[in-house]
Amino acid sequence: MNLVELESVDRVEITILMDNVTDALLVDQDGVRRINWPRALHGALPTADARVSPDTGVPDALIAEPGFSALVRVDKGGREHTVLFDTGVSPNGVAENMRRLGIAPGDIELIVLSHGHWDHVTGMEGLARALGRSKLPVMIHPEFWARRRVRFPGLDPAELPATSRAALEDLGFAIVEQRQPSFLLDGAVLITGEVDRTTPFETGFQGHEALRDTEWRPDPLILDDQALVLSLRDRGLVVLSGCGHAGILNTVRYVRRLTGIDAVAAVIGGFHLSGPMFEPIIDPTVDALTELSPALLVPAHCTGWRAVHQLATRLPGAFVMSTVGTTITL
């Protein structure tokens, strides 16, 4: 494998715009800022009218949904770039959370969609309304458009909502398809493209199928799954995962081989370890992440509570709970 030259960045700020959980009682940690009730009551969130509190209204609380989205601000050489990674599960959730957090949609320079599942894509609709016809570039893998379904024992197959290319383009977005690793923003951001599958226990999503030439066929690898990667100066790699269908260890190991950078500053996002199909690989995944020893570990979305609890126990110094409105500064 030929090494790629990933430029170092000076600072990274990642704000979780959508995740499964909100928690307004969490407090700040080093490098982690929370939107909690004390901060909200002092103006960090706008006020919503409420008949039961007519004099003051109430904080317009952030929305949690079973999807994922993160805003990434990158500082390189004194110049800031802003990337949106995934857009959540509902048409309006991410756009609403941006409004409540005071984040201007016009700051976004490009969008990266980690894969084609609707819980990472549907918020493109509300974002388009907030932006107008912006012609923002949207980075995807060519397999993103595949029609898919899940087939579980004892249940009828259930087709997943698929994204229409024509609809996205009609909303004003410029689609950029790339299967291989690609650089964005003057080499400051790397999109992995297809991830090599080398970890023996990360074998994919059994029962996941795709429509190929009018026939439903097994699609356990979900090849469009890709991550966003940064190299933080003097600290190592920052890896942002949507669902981690490629396997979170496969992803991190692939990025290390691709860039030649061994140190891992942060692993953030979905690790897909939830439910009876994936819980058997929690132990080897936690063992491998413990050996990897990232400085910061922020499991989110589809990681699942069992895996989150184990990671918090095994890596207490690195672990940070992901919640909507959390901003991580590295």
Side-chain angles (χ1 to χ4, degrees):
M1 178 184 294
N2 294 327
L3 294 180
V4 301
E5 296 283 342
L6 179 58
E7 297 281 338
S8 294
V9 302
D10 302 307
R11 182 176 178 271
V12 180
E13 183 182 278
I14 298 174
T15 298
I16 306 300
L17 295 179
M18 187 55 69
D19 201 348
N20 300 27
V21 177
T22 63
D23 189 339
L25 298 178
L26 290 176
V27 298
D28 295 350
Q29 301 167 241
D30 288 344
V32 179
R33 185 176 186 269
R34 309 286 193 178
I35 298 297
N36 50 30
W37 284 141
R39 189 162 274 141
L41 291 167
H42 282 88
L45 293 176
T47 299
D49 293 335
R51 292 181 65 185
V52 296
S53 300
D55 294 333
T56 59
V58 296
D60 203 0
L62 296 171
I63 301 166
E65 296 173 343
F68 189 70
S69 177
L71 189 79
V72 182
R73 296 190 190 273
V74 181
D75 187 295
K76 178 187 173 191
R79 183 178 177 187
E80 185 175 270
H81 295 290
T82 303
V83 180
L84 183 63
F85 183 77
D86 287 349
T87 61
V89 68
S90 74
N92 296 314
V94 164
E96 264 301 298
N97 280 340
M98 290 181 71
R99 180 186 68 79
R100 296 176 195 192
L101 290 167
I103 296 171
D107 290 348
I108 299 168
E109 296 174 60
L110 60 91
I111 299 169
V112 177
L113 297 177
S114 64
H115 63 298
H117 287 165
W118 86 102
D119 51 334
H120 297 252
V121 177
T122 311
M124 294 290 285
E125 184 176 334
L127 187 64
R129 282 194 290 268
L131 285 166
R133 295 186 62 83
S134 64
K135 290 297 181 183
L136 265 183
V138 179
M139 305 294 299
I140 63 165
H141 183 283
E143 291 284 322
F144 175 92
W145 311 107
R147 286 180 59 187
R148 281 150 167 169
R149 72 180 188 180
V150 290
R151 179 193 288 273
F152 297 129
L155 298 174
D156 291 335
E159 187 167 350
L160 306 178
T163 303
S164 161
R165 179 177 189 137
L168 276 189
E169 290 179 333
D170 188 57
L171 287 170
F173 296 108
I175 307 302
V176 181
E177 295 187 8
Q178 182 62 261
R179 191 178 296 270
Q180 302 301 320
S182 55
F183 288 113
L184 309 175
L185 304 177
D186 301 322
V189 177
L190 173 68
I191 307 303
T192 61
E194 274 181 33
V195 172
D196 286 350
R197 314 302 170 97
T198 58
T199 305
F201 54 84
E202 291 178 322
T203 57
F205 191 159
Q206 305 307 314
H208 187 274
E209 299 178 339
L211 189 64
R212 312 285 189 198
D213 300 322
T214 73
E215 181 181 351
W216 288 102
R217 298 179 183 175
D219 181 39
L221 298 184
I222 311 178
L223 291 176
D224 52 316
D225 185 89
Q226 55 186 356
L228 183 151
V229 184
L230 302 151
S231 174
L232 189 59
R233 192 178 307 281
D234 301 324
R235 296 179 63 183
L237 297 166
V238 176
V239 180
L240 182 60
S241 166
C243 262
H245 287 296
I248 195 62
L249 268 304
N250 279 333
T251 300
V252 175
R253 289 170 177 173
Y254 174 66
V255 170
R256 291 173 82 189
R257 292 196 307 275
L258 189 63
T259 63
I261 301 170
D262 288 332
V264 180
V267 184
I268 300 168
F271 301 170
H272 217 286
L273 297 170
S274 182
M277 183 184 301
F278 294 97
E279 286 176 357
I281 70 168
I282 290 176
D283 285 344
T285 301
V286 173
D287 288 343
L289 284 170
T290 301
E291 183 178 350
L292 190 66
S293 190
L296 183 73
L297 187 66
V298 190
H301 182 42
C302 53
T303 305
W305 70 269
R306 292 183 187 276
V308 168
H309 279 262
Q310 285 204 37
L311 290 165
T313 300
R314 292 282 298 277
L315 292 155
F319 176 82
V320 168
M321 180 71 181
S322 175
T323 61
V324 179
T326 294
T327 296
I328 301 150
T329 302
L330 298 163

